[in-house]
Every structure is written in structure tokens, then in C-alpha cells.
């Protein structure tokens, strides 16, 4: 499925008269679309009443699709339990934190843990697998729709019960539970398992932080198990068809979700989500849609080959929530190429036509309500033609020498803990922008138990900014990576928590501090009455924003790289590095900003990896798939680029050199080794 560039579309045969299906399919084909996703919300049609199944509408659609040689991805419809189901079995509903259930009328109103819901889901999935599993047109399956979208928190009675069982399994004894969850503080000692709950309403909406972290792990595990249950039912029934799911959402460990159950992940890419419609123009991000490159990189981190199940094809919005403008001419193509540049080979647009009714009448598809020719269709045909020229480029994987390291323990701790969270968000945004400014393609790398030193050693530089939770076993792998010649950078707030989120009595920085030869002798947020955090490195000012770890050098072989130049700790070490084996480990004592991220990248010898071939302005992103260099212009104006060495450009078919102009939202793809 992902071995070559392909176009697809999301289609809802149940939304339109049957008389136009055939014409729709023929027009899709003419636009280059070969694959159609259907069915993911159609439970009320598949099972109109409990235990009575009717697949006739989709049988007729599949027959037409097969006749036209179209391929179909079938969605399991478990994101939208029908009303007969939720009325008869209200325990399947999800609930707010105060226990009030969410009712019928939208979608994803269910919980993952109700035994009844799991039983009814298993039955509809089994029925669909038996019915459609061997259909020649069905090439793949999508599990549910966007697990953990809409809400990623679950507080039904079934969830509280399952949480209790999960915690009992994990901690075995109440004594152990009370120890790990810090029960000694504020009389939170449990004396019976039945007392244990997921979060419930509390003063200030605050809750035991260690239990909160466990809650996130539990939510994730619930979704993983729900997905696995469906995969296990489908696998024996669907032959060679693939299984995927779509989107990336919080409280879900995608490393675990994919592991063994899914063939690959698909992302739903709506770059206009990055636009803040309510922000005054002066404060708007210059190229908001470029932020989506970060999400595509996150997807690639979990699934080295991936697809886009929903690629934005028009303006976004629900009737009562969210709104965004129509993509400007060329922007839909740019966003498609953004996905391709980041490694996606299957691009399926959301949706074929605007919804005729319902919450999403403004979530625009390729066709308008009237079904007449429009500029989005013309742009799609251009993409169809472009794809033919990119066939070879799409064989190569995304290429980066720098990786930004993440892990779910820290991501979730950052989501529960404001101190950690501020630093986490600040650095992720700062470093992403810095890498973009320096045209340095960057991967994200999620550490998990199976990560090997060889996985790490694919990169020349790892940036692991705020691993508040830093277990010694992880530090060992990182040390081995550095010994083998890699460069590794830690930032402020590294290494002061254990995996339960407690702060053990141990010098801060843990192994990171030992490896760098430092002691973190003091630390502080940069407060509103302080001078902005700053240091001097190589005679130049270095931004040290948000939080400052004040360092002491404790080993002779550690090198002081920068000194604080502001506040009561001026003159103290701000950045220290130490050679470890053939590599070097750095400690940068603040959160990363765009400016400091760029300064550190340059200091460590990175930035402009293709500077000998191309000179690009800051409106352009550079992404590399093997030797193919994608240049994407996010500006509404022309971008002047300089091609320093003559190179074939695939979309125009020309060999280019010298000054060239990229049109607004334009794309060029150079073959650098020819
Ligand atoms: C996605 C979802 C689609 C559709 C789209 C537009 O999150 O998977 O079903 O709702 O957004 O809102």
C-alpha cells in the first residue's frame, strides 16, 4: 500500500443518493484517486437493531467500486455507537470527571472499558470481518476513527472499575501502592482497593500527581487494548489486507498501539488547524501551516512508513466550533507535498464532497455541495500529474541527522506538571523552529524499552531536553550512544524524578549531571521581575529562557561552554560539555527558544546540511527523502532561492541553476546526486 505514491479519498455512500455513486467513482478515477475509505461511522446502518445486520448498502457500493477497479479501506464503526445501543446499555457511555455521562448526539461518546461495549464492538467487527473480509475490493481496514480524539479522558463507572483492577495488577499490595503514589502526603493512604478512583472533582481541580500519571498510562492502555481486540478479530478474516488507524492524539502511546497490532499508522493532516483565527494579525505566526511538519515528523517517529488518511481539502469548521479559511490557491497542493516530503506515500483527502447535513457542513471536501467543477478539483488533478514525476523520490525514506528525543513517561509527566510542561512545550516549539530556520531536517525519536543503541546511532545529534524522569537504564543507552561518537544534548530540568513522578533524594540531574561533570547547585524560573535569562557563548549573547539550572563544574575534563550573564547567578556556568568516548554530552541549562536552539545547533556543527547545493529563504522548508530535496514555500509571496550546483528539478523537468523563483505556496523537488 505504501510502496508507491497513491491518492485516496474519504467517501460516505450513505450521505448521497445511490444514483450518483457510479459517477462519483468515475470522477475520482479521472482525478487519479484509486482508494476510497468508507464505513467508519455507519454502525446504525450496519446494525439497525440489536443483532440484526444489514450490509446491503455497502455491498452495492463495493460492487460498483470493484467494477471500476477502485480499492476500498473499510472502517470499523465503533466511534459512533447507535442510539438503540446507548439507550439500552447506558454503561457504555463515557462520562465527565464529575461522573455525568456524555449522551447521544455527537460521536466518540463511549468508553473503552465497559464489558458490554467491548462485547458489542467485538460482534460488529466480527460480522464485518466475516462479511467484507474477503471482498476483492477491500484492501485495508481502519480501526475505529481517531482513537482519543474529541476526548482522551474517561470517567465512567466501567473506567473506575478497570482502573482499580489495572492498579492492583501493577502494584500488587496497598503498601506498595501507597508508597509509589506518595500516600503519606495529605492523608492519602488507601486501606482498601475499593477506595481507589480515577480523578474525581477536587478543590482547584488538582489531584495527586502520581495518580494522575498512572491515570494517563491507564487511559493509553485502555485504548491500546480496545484497538488490539479489534485487530485480533479482523486478522484471521481479512487475508492480506492491512490494518491501520488514523490520527495522533494525547494520552495514547503510539509505540504500544502500533507494536504488532497495526501494519502502519495514518495521520489526519489539517494544517489550517495551526492558524489562530482569534489572534490579532501582528501576533500571528508567519507560516502557521508549517507547524504541521512537526506533526508529520511525530507520525514518522512511530511509523517509519505512514499514510495520510485525511488530508485537508478545503476550509475547516463545525457548525458550532472551529472555523478556518479556504486553502488559498496552491495551498492544498503544498500541504499534500508537505505530507509527501515527510515520508507519506498514501494521501487520502477528507472528503470527496462537502457534507450535505450534520455537524460538518463546513468541513469542506474536494467537491462543493453543487458537485460542479471547482479550483480544488483542478489542483487535485495537478497533484495527480505531480505524483507521476515523484515516483522515484517516493521510494526513499526521510533523511535527518538530528533527532529530538521524546518518551511517553516524560510527555505525560509534562502534561500533569506545569513546571515540567512549560519547559517541554517551550523547547519543542523552539527547537522545531530553529531546525526549520536552519533548514536542518529533524526527526523525532520516541524512546521505549526496545530502543537500542543502534537505533540511536542513526543520528549524529540527539537533543533530549527535559527528561525529568531519567532512569539509569535509559542513561546507559544514551551514554553508549555518545561513546560510539554521537553528540547528545540535555537541557534544564533533566533527571530529578523517578518513574512514578516522585523526587528521590539524589543530586539533581541524575546520570546526566554525572556524565557532563556538573552539579546543579541552584535553579529557578526566570521570573517577571528578573532580567531575561541570558548567557555568553563564544563572545556572543545566548538566550537562556524560561528556566535556569545554575551549574557547577565538578570534573576536570568538563568544558565550560557558556556563562550566565544575567541575574544573581551571572558568571556561573550555563552550558557545559564533556567528551564521553568518541562523542560529547552537553548540558544547556535552560529551555530552548528559536534563537538558542539555532545557536546550539550551530555550535554543535549543524544547520544548512545542503548549504553547498541550495540557498533558501526562511519561508522555505527543506525536507530530504534520500537524495531528493523538497523545497516548500509557505509564503503567499514568491520566494527567491539559489541553486548553487545544477540539479534536475522533478516537477518542471528542468535542470536548474542560479537564482530561481518559487511561486507563492510553490514546491520544487531537486535530485541532488544527479
Ligand atoms: C477528523 C475526523 C473526520 C472528520 C474530520 C473533520 O478529525 O476523523 O471524521 O470529522 O476530522 O472534522
Amino acid at each position: 500500500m505504501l510502496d508507491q505514491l497513491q491518492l485516496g479519498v474519504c467517501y460516505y455512500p450513505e450521505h448521497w443518493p445511490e444514483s450518483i455513486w457510479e459517477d462519483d467513482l468515475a470522477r475520482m478515477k479521472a482525478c487519479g484517486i484509486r482508494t476510497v475509505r468508507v464505513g467508519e461511522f455507519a454502525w446504525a446502518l450496519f446494525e439497525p437493531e440489536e443483532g440484526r445486520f444489514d450490509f446491503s448498502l455497502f455491498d452495492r457500493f463495493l460492487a460498483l467500486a470493484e467494477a471500476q477497479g477502485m480499492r476500498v479501506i473499510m472502517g470499523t464503526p465503533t466511534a459512533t455507537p447507535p442510539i438503540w445501543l446507548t439507550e439500552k446499555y447506558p454503561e457504555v457511555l463515557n462520562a465527565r470527571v464529575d461522573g455525568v455521562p456524555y449522551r447521544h448526539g455527537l460521536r466518540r461518546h463511549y468508553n473503552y472499558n465497559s464489558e458490554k461495549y467491548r462485547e458489542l464492538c467485538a460482534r460488529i467487527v466480527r460480522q464485518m470481518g466475516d462479511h467484507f473480509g474477503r471482498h476483492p475490493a477491500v484492501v485495508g481496514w481502519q480501526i475505529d476513527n481517531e482513537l482519543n480524539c474529541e476526548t482522551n479522558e474517561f470517567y465512567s463507572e466501567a473506567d473506575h472499575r478497570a482502573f482499580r483492577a489495572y492498579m492492583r495488577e501493577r502494584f500488587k499490595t496497598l503498601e506498595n501502592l501507597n508508597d509509589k503514589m506518595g500516600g503519606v502526603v495529605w492523608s492519602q493512604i488507601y486501606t482498601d482497593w475499593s477506595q481507589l478512583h480515577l480523578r474525581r472533582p477536587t478543590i482547584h481541580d488538582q489531584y495527586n500527581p502520581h495518580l494522575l500519571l498512572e491515570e494517563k498510562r491507564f487511559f493509553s492502555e485502555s485504548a491500546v487494548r480496545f484497538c488490539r481486540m479489534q485487530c485480533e478479530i479482523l486478522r484471521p478474516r481479512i487475508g492480506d489486507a492491512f490494518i491501520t488507524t488514523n490520527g495522533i492524539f494525547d494520552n495514547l502511546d503510539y509505540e504500544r498501539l502500533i507494536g504488532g497490532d497495526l501494519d502502519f499508522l495514518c495521520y489526519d493532516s489539517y494544517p489550517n488547524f495551526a492558524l489562530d483565527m482569534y489572534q490579532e494579525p501582528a501576533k500571528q505566526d508567519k507560516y502557521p501551516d508549517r507547524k504541521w511538519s512537526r506533526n508529520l515528523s511525530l507520525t514518522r517517529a512511530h511509523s517509519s512508513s505512514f499514510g495520510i488518511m485525511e488530508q485537508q481539502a478545503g476550509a475547516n469548521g463545525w457548525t458550532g466550533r472551529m472555523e478556518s479559511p479556504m486553502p488559498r490557491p496552491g495551498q492544498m497542493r503544498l500541504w499534500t507535498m508537505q505530507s509527501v516530503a515527510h515520508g507519506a506515500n498514501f494521501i487520502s483527502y477528507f472528503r470527496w464532497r462537502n457534507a450535505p447535513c450534520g455537524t460538518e457542513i463546513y468541513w469542506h471536501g474536494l467537491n462543493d455541495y453543487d458537485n460542479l467543477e471547482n479550483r480544488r478539483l483542478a489542483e487535485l488533478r495537478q497533484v495527480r500529474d505531480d505524483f507521476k514525476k515523484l515516483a522515484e523520490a517516493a521510494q526513499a525514506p526521510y533523511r535527518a541527522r538530528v533527532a529530538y528525543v521524546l518518551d511517553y513517561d516524560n510527555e505525560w509527566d509534562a502534561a500533569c506538571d506545569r513546571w515540567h510542561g512549560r519547559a517541554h512545550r517551550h523547547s519543542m516549539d523552539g527547537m522545531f523552529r530553529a531546525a526549520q530556520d536552519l533548514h536542518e531536517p529533524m526527526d523525532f525519536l520516541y524512546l521505549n524499552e526496545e530502543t537500542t543503541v543502534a537505533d540511536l546511532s542513526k543520528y549524529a545529534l540527539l537533543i533530549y531536553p527535559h527528561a525529568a524522569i531519567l532512569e539509569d537504564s535509559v542513561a546507559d543507552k544514551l551514554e553508549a550512544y555518545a561513546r560510539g561518537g554521537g553528540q547528545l544534548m540535555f537541557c534544564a530540568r533533566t533527571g530529578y524524578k523517578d518513574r512514578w513522578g516522585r523526587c528521590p533524594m539524589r543530586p539533581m540531574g541524575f546520570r546526566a549531571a554525572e556524565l557532563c561533570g556538573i552539579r546543579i547547585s541552584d535553579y529557578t524560573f526566570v521570573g517577571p521581575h528578573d532580567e531575561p535569562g541570558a548567557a555568553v557563548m563564544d563572545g556572543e549573547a545566548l538566550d537562556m529562557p524560561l528556566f535556569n539550572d545554575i551549574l557547577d563544574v565538578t570534573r576536570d575534563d568538563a568544558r565550560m561552554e557558556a556563562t550566565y550573564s544575567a541575574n544573581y547567578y551571572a558568571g556561573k556556568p550555563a552550558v557545559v560539555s564533556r567528551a564521553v568516548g568518541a562523542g560529547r554530552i552537553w548540558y544547556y541549562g535552560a529551555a530552548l527558544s528559536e534563537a538558542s536552539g539555532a545557536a546550539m545547533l550551530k555550535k554543535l556543527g549543524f544547520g544548512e546540511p545542503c548549504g553547498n547545493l541550495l540557498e533558501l529563504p526562511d519561508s522555505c522548508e527543506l525536507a530530504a527523502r534520500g537524495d531528493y530535496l523538497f523545497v516548500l514555500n509557505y509564503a503567499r509571496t514568491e520566494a527567491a532561492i539559489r541553486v548553487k550546483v545544477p540539479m534536475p528539478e522533478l516537477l518542471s523537468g528542468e535542470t536548474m541553476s542560479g537564482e530561481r523563483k518559487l511561486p507563492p505556496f510553490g514546491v520544487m523537488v531537486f535530485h541532488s546526486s544527479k
Side-chain angles (χ1 to χ4, degrees):
M1 180 67 188
L2 301 178
D3 54 356
Q4 51 184 347
L5 279 180
Q6 287 189 53
L7 289 171
V9 79
C10 302
Y11 188 71
Y12 299 90
E14 68 275 32
H15 292 182
W16 291 289
E18 200 165 329
S19 54
I20 68 169
W21 292 353
E22 197 166 2
D23 178 58
D24 278 340
L25 286 162
R27 287 172 54 230
M28 286 174 198
K29 257 178 93 174
C31 293
I33 289 173
R34 290 286 317 282
T35 307
V36 188
R37 182 197 64 182
V38 298
E40 80 277 16
F41 298 124
W43 195 339
L45 303 179
F46 292 141
E47 191 179 357
E49 55 187 79
E50 186 171 2
R52 182 166 73 78
F53 299 95
D54 177 358
F55 299 115
S56 55
L57 184 142
F58 283 82
D59 284 341
R60 295 196 298 279
F61 178 76
L62 283 178
L64 288 179
E66 190 191 351
Q68 302 234 23
M70 297 288 268
R71 301 141 37 115
V72 174
I73 299 172
M74 186 62 75
T76 68
T78 50
T80 46
I83 193 150
W84 61 255
L85 193 162
T86 55
E87 287 290 303
K88 183 163 176 199
Y89 304 110
E91 70 264 38
V92 311
L93 294 168
N94 187 12
R96 302 190 315 208
V97 71
D98 59 3
V100 173
Y102 292 112
R103 300 292 182 176
H104 194 84
L106 201 70
R107 60 179 180 184
R108 296 199 54 75
H109 40 293
Y110 68 91
N111 68 67
Y112 295 126
N113 284 305
S114 139
E115 284 305 319
K116 193 58 181 178
Y117 196 56
R118 292 172 65 86
E119 174 194 321
L120 294 168
C121 287
R123 185 168 65 175
I124 184 71
V125 172
R126 200 175 306 115
Q127 288 281 335
M128 287 181 69
D130 286 340
H131 191 84
F132 297 118
R134 303 285 168 166
H135 194 291
V138 176
V139 296
W141 290 75
Q142 174 187 297
I143 302 293
D144 198 275
N145 187 72
E146 298 191 329
L147 295 161
N148 278 13
C149 177
E150 259 85 60
T151 180
N152 49 48
E153 297 186 325
F154 301 83
Y155 299 109
S156 72
E157 278 307 315
D159 296 306
H160 285 287
R161 271 197 308 277
F163 180 60
R164 231 164 268 142
Y166 165 88
M167 294 292 274
R168 206 169 173 159
E169 170 68 29
R170 219 160 138 71
F171 294 94
K172 309 289 191 245
T173 66
L174 285 169
E175 196 187 15
N176 188 31
L177 173 91
N178 286 324
D179 173 37
K180 300 296 186 321
M181 298 296 102
V184 69
V185 174
W186 292 355
S187 279
Q188 290 177 7
I189 294 174
Y190 291 90
T191 54
D192 193 292
W193 288 101
S194 65
Q195 298 158 346
L196 189 62
H197 288 89
L198 291 158
R199 190 160 65 92
R200 291 186 297 178
T202 49
I203 294 168
H204 299 306
D205 272 339
Q206 295 298 295
Y207 200 61
N208 177 313
H210 317 298
L211 276 172
L212 269 187
L213 190 54
E214 283 306 307
E215 181 175 294
K216 292 199 177 294
R217 291 174 174 142
F218 165 76
F219 289 151
S220 174
E221 210 45 34
S222 301
V224 167
R225 284 197 303 231
F226 183 72
C227 179
R228 177 166 305 153
M229 174 188 81
Q230 298 199 25
C231 291
E232 283 172 357
I233 294 170
L234 285 177
R235 274 290 174 217
R237 293 175 163 80
I238 62 171
D240 294 340
F242 61 81
I243 307 182
T244 183
T245 192
N246 55 334
I248 293 212
F249 298 92
D250 288 342
N251 295 353
L252 216 177
D253 177 338
Y254 284 88
E255 301 287 300
R256 278 189 55 68
L257 187 77
I258 292 181
D261 291 337
L262 300 175
D263 293 293
F264 54 86
L265 185 63
C266 283
Y267 183 63
D268 294 343
S269 187
Y270 295 98
N272 253 3
F273 265 142
L275 190 72
D276 186 344
M277 289 288 288
Y278 309 103
Q279 187 63 270
E280 54 185 277
K283 291 198 183 144
Q284 289 286 355
D285 210 328
K286 240 186 355 191
Y287 312 117
D289 44 352
R290 190 167 177 172
K291 268 196 211 147
W292 247 234
S293 294
R294 192 180 79 172
N295 301 4
L296 293 162
S297 305
L298 287 167
T299 311
R300 192 175 61 240
H302 302 302
S303 186
S304 53
S305 301
F306 67 100
I308 305 293
M309 194 60 86
E310 301 179 11
Q311 177 76 51
Q312 182 168 353
N316 294 342
W318 282 8
T319 44
R321 182 174 161 255
M322 306 182 276
E323 63 254 13
S324 82
M326 246 338 147
R328 299 312 187 221
Q331 228 173 2
M332 189 183 102
R333 173 174 176 262
L334 170 73
W335 295 338
T336 303
M337 293 301 171
Q338 180 183 29
S339 296
V340 173
H342 278 275
N345 279 2
F346 171 57
I347 309 284
S348 160
Y349 291 95
F350 187 84
R351 47 195 283 161
W352 175 243
R353 189 166 35 240
N354 300 350
C357 51
T359 307
E360 295 198 331
I361 52 177
Y362 301 127
W363 210 287
H364 289 71
L366 292 161
N367 287 270
D368 287 306
Y369 311 103
D370 61 15
N371 218 22
L372 300 173
E373 176 59 21
N374 67 25
R375 72 173 168 84
R376 305 198 294 284
L377 288 165
E379 217 165 292
L380 170 65
R381 290 193 292 270
Q382 192 187 347
V383 169
R384 171 201 61 195
D385 298 343
D386 291 337
F387 270 22
K388 292 182 191 138
K389 302 171 189 160
L390 296 179
E392 213 178 295
Q395 298 303 310
Y398 189 88
R399 181 159 57 90
R401 38 181 206 169
V402 176
Y404 190 103
V405 181
L406 295 162
D407 66 276
Y408 279 105
D409 281 342
N410 279 296
E411 188 163 317
W412 292 338
D413 187 71
C416 306
D417 171 334
R418 285 174 78 90
W419 283 47
H420 185 179
R422 274 182 74 192
H424 172 82
R425 288 188 298 276
H426 199 280
S427 291
M428 200 147 155
D429 187 60
M431 197 65 218
F432 169 75
R433 288 170 191 275
Q436 286 278 324
D437 292 346
L438 294 178
H439 306 112
E440 178 73 58
M442 187 172 83
D443 274 344
F444 289 101
L445 188 156
Y446 270 84
L447 295 177
N448 61 42
E449 278 166 17
E450 272 118 59
T451 307
T452 61
V453 176
D455 296 330
L456 304 178
S457 301
K458 289 178 197 149
Y459 298 97
L461 169 62
L462 297 180
I463 303 159
Y464 193 21
H466 309 292
I469 299 174
L470 180 66
E471 301 218 27
D472 289 348
S473 57
V474 172
D476 286 345
K477 283 185 203 171
L478 294 169
E479 181 183 350
Y481 157 79
R483 289 202 176 282
Q487 298 213 63
L488 168 66
M489 181 165 75
F490 297 112
C491 302
R493 309 301 286 155
T494 292
Y496 65 97
K497 285 185 171 183
D498 66 14
R499 62 194 310 213
W500 317 111
R502 302 173 307 177
C503 298
M505 289 179 65
R506 189 176 166 184
M508 290 184 75
F510 293 178
R511 289 281 313 289
E514 287 165 31
L515 287 167
C516 292
I518 54 166
R519 176 173 170 240
I520 298 161
S521 53
D522 193 2
Y523 55 83
T524 181
F525 269 114
V526 181
H529 297 291
D530 294 330
E531 295 167 62
V536 176
M537 183 167 72
D538 300 331
E540 309 246 335
L542 175 68
D543 197 17
M544 299 293 292
L546 195 75
F547 201 98
N548 288 168
D549 275 352
I550 297 136
L551 313 178
D552 282 339
V553 175
T554 56
R555 293 182 63 132
D556 293 344
D557 57 349
R559 197 162 76 193
M560 191 159 83
E561 305 280 358
T563 317
Y564 282 110
S565 56
N567 296 310
Y568 70 90
Y569 41 93
K572 296 282 281 178
V575 182
V576 173
S577 80
R578 184 172 158 257
V580 175
R584 182 165 283 278
I585 306 190
W586 298 70
Y587 199 99
Y588 161 86
L592 291 160
S593 62
E594 187 169 355
S596 69
M600 292 307 296
L601 275 177
K602 285 192 206 153
K603 170 84 179 163
L604 272 66
F606 294 84
E608 304 295 349
C610 299
N612 57 330
L613 303 173
L614 288 167
E615 192 179 310
L616 304 174
D618 73 350
S619 71
C620 287
E621 174 174 5
L622 173 78
R625 289 188 72 167
D627 295 332
Y628 296 90
L629 307 179
F630 287 70
V631 179
L632 306 150
N633 177 23
Y634 291 87
R636 291 159 179 251
T637 49
E638 277 187 343
I641 69 167
R642 202 152 72 80
V643 185
K644 295 182 175 170
V645 174
M647 284 187 290
E649 195 283 313
L650 271 48
L651 297 173
S652 61
E654 263 182 70
T655 292
M656 291 190 177
S657 62
E659 305 285 333
R660 305 296 301 212
K661 291 267 194 293
L662 221 67
F665 307 124
V667 180
M668 288 181 180
V669 182
F670 295 95
H671 191 182
S672 64
S673 73
K674 280 213 172 148

